[in-house]
Amino acid sequence: MRPAAGRPAAPPVVFVDTEQVALDFVECPPPPLSAGERREVDRRWAETRDRNPATFDGPLVAALGLDLYGSGRATVRWARMTYRHRALRAIRPPEDVPGSVYVTVLLPTDEGLVLGRGSRTTATPGLWSLPGGAAEPPPTGRPLDLVTLSGHAVRELAEEVGVTLPAPELRLWALTRGARFGSLGFHFLAPSAPADRVRHRHAALAAAESARGIGPELDAIAFAAPGGRAPAPLPCADYLPQVLARYAAR
């Protein structure tokens, strides 16, 4: 739907003030699907696999809602689902579609924040974003919490860029909620690293993974100029321009 004439479009994400809110995480059952929806999800997933056989129907954390209370607390309602259920975005109205829970890492360097471009083997080829990805659910019976999410962010940074950090060195810097599907982005800030070291680590990682015949998750990296002097490269993740602008204005 297009915005009314003369009315600016709503920003893709909304920031939640995490400094004033204590977060709780509550696991819920996944939303039920009708038989017709299940058939359509499976059909669309088969088409996705035909286009990209490397696509994996892996487990993910679906965002069912973020409840904000006046007492300074908030509850994240989540469920265990798999990637194929993202096809619901093409089947249901946006307000009836579970969002994603994803993590990113803001890694500052002397040349700016590290950005990466998704390779052809990923679900978002050619898309620029911060290092990160969709969160995976913890083992059955284990809670989802910020410790779990920061650990996932650390793994994503190592797998995509080749930079390893202890999870305690990350801190939650921002929480965003998508305006359309309600996806929740947990954005973690890492300690600064030299840009040349990041380039070297990513190049070594890309060479090693290419030698194994799988290729890197990020086929290129770049740096968002300090102070936000350069716009995000295009195409990019919907949250990226807003996150970069807020980081530059901090």
Side-chain angles (χ1 to χ4, degrees):
M1 179 181 298
R2 294 181 179 179
R7 182 181 302 172
V13 299
V14 175
F15 286 87
V16 179
D17 187 358
T18 54
E19 293 185 358
Q20 303 297 323
V21 172
L23 291 171
D24 298 317
F25 294 79
V26 175
E27 183 174 0
C28 304
L33 274 63
S34 69
E37 286 177 327
R38 193 171 299 280
R39 286 193 298 270
E40 183 65 10
V41 165
D42 292 344
R43 184 188 70 80
R44 289 175 179 268
W45 177 251
E47 291 179 348
T48 298
R49 287 298 307 272
D50 289 342
R51 292 193 298 269
N52 185 359
T55 305
F56 173 57
D57 188 24
L60 55 75
V61 177
L64 302 185
L66 176 66
D67 303 320
L68 299 171
Y69 307 106
S71 59
R73 302 195 67 84
T75 297
V76 174
R77 290 181 283 111
W78 67 279
R80 299 171 189 267
M81 300 186 75
T82 63
Y83 276 89
R84 73 174 59 208
H85 293 96
R86 286 181 169 173
L88 290 172
R89 298 180 178 186
I91 301 172
R92 291 181 172 183
E95 62 272 15
D96 292 334
V97 177
S100 300
V101 173
Y102 64 94
V103 297
T104 75
V105 179
L106 289 83
L107 178 59
T109 73
D110 47 305
E111 296 182 27
L113 291 176
V114 177
L115 306 177
R117 185 178 65 190
S119 71
R120 61 180 178 81
T121 62
T122 66
T124 54
L127 196 73
W128 288 92
S129 65
L130 294 167
E136 297 180 5
T140 302
R142 297 284 297 275
L144 180 70
D145 53 24
L146 288 178
V147 173
T148 304
L149 292 173
S150 65
H152 188 64
V154 163
R155 288 192 297 274
E156 291 285 346
L157 184 64
E159 292 172 359
E160 294 185 347
V161 183
V163 173
T164 56
L165 291 171
E169 292 193 8
L170 297 185
R171 70 172 178 86
L172 182 63
W173 177 78
L175 169 60
T176 58
R177 177 167 53 180
R180 189 174 186 198
F181 298 114
S183 295
L184 299 177
F186 291 82
H187 308 278
F188 292 90
L189 182 63
S192 182
D196 284 344
R197 181 165 72 90
V198 174
R199 287 192 186 91
H200 175 77
R201 293 289 178 85
H202 178 258
L205 175 68
E209 293 191 338
S210 295
R212 292 168 55 200
I214 57 176
E217 291 188 49
L218 301 179
D219 61 16
I221 62 171
F223 302 89
R229 291 190 297 272
L234 296 175
C236 67
D238 62 355
Y239 67 81
L240 187 59
Q242 285 178 255
V243 168
L244 292 182
R246 175 164 285 214
Y247 181 80
R250 72 196 190 287

